[in-house]
Amino acid sequence: MRRPLHDIATATAVAAVLSGAPSTTHALLTGRSPLAAARAAGTLWPGRRDRPGLVAGGAAHAAVSAGWGTVLGVALPRHHTVAWGALAGLGIAAFDLVVVGGRHVPAIAALPQVWQWADHVAFGATVGWVLSRTDAAPA
């Protein structure tokens, strides 16, 4: 049984907002800019490789989150959804931060990587958590 697009969109939106907590907390505790990751994401757009920006970063984050959230919404099982989401977040991090970011996006590669990985795991787990709530809700 497929999940409704509304449930996937809701889970994705919640995760997109909350999943930056690990890197944001680390940035605040270490005196770094809590917006550095958002600005770095702006360099994902074609022609912006050397031009980080907050607005472009927000748009890139929304687009990437929508894509990955949709994949998770379709692929995550209905049992142990949070755990599977967290594991999927590790896979997404490997792709985003090693395959794409580490090789092609210097602004992302320059970020403290442990916290970027933690953000990705948080994204997957949060999508899984929200979907587990909507999956369990009566129809």
Side-chain angles (χ1 to χ4, degrees):
M1 185 160 128
R2 294 182 348 167
R3 291 182 172 103
L5 183 57
H6 177 268
D7 292 352
I8 295 170
T10 299
T12 299
V14 170
V17 170
L18 298 179
S19 65
S23 66
T24 300
T25 301
H26 176 262
L28 291 170
L29 291 174
T30 59
R32 299 171 70 98
S33 170
L35 300 175
R39 285 188 187 96
T43 64
L44 291 168
W45 292 112
R48 293 194 59 94
R49 185 174 191 266
D50 299 318
R51 295 177 27 229
L54 192 55
V55 173
H61 184 261
V64 170
S65 294
W68 283 123
T70 301
V71 168
L72 292 178
V74 170
L76 287 177
R78 292 179 184 271
H79 298 289
H80 309 291
T81 313
V82 177
W84 282 110
L87 185 61
L90 280 174
I92 293 167
F95 181 80
D96 285 355
L97 300 173
V98 176
V99 175
V100 176
R103 294 183 183 162
H104 305 291
V105 189
I108 291 175
L111 297 168
Q113 292 298 291
V114 169
W115 302 104
Q116 295 305 305
W117 281 74
D119 286 354
H120 281 72
V121 171
F123 179 82
T126 303
V127 168
W129 180 78
V130 174
L131 290 176
S132 73
R133 302 293 125 224
T134 60
D135 289 347

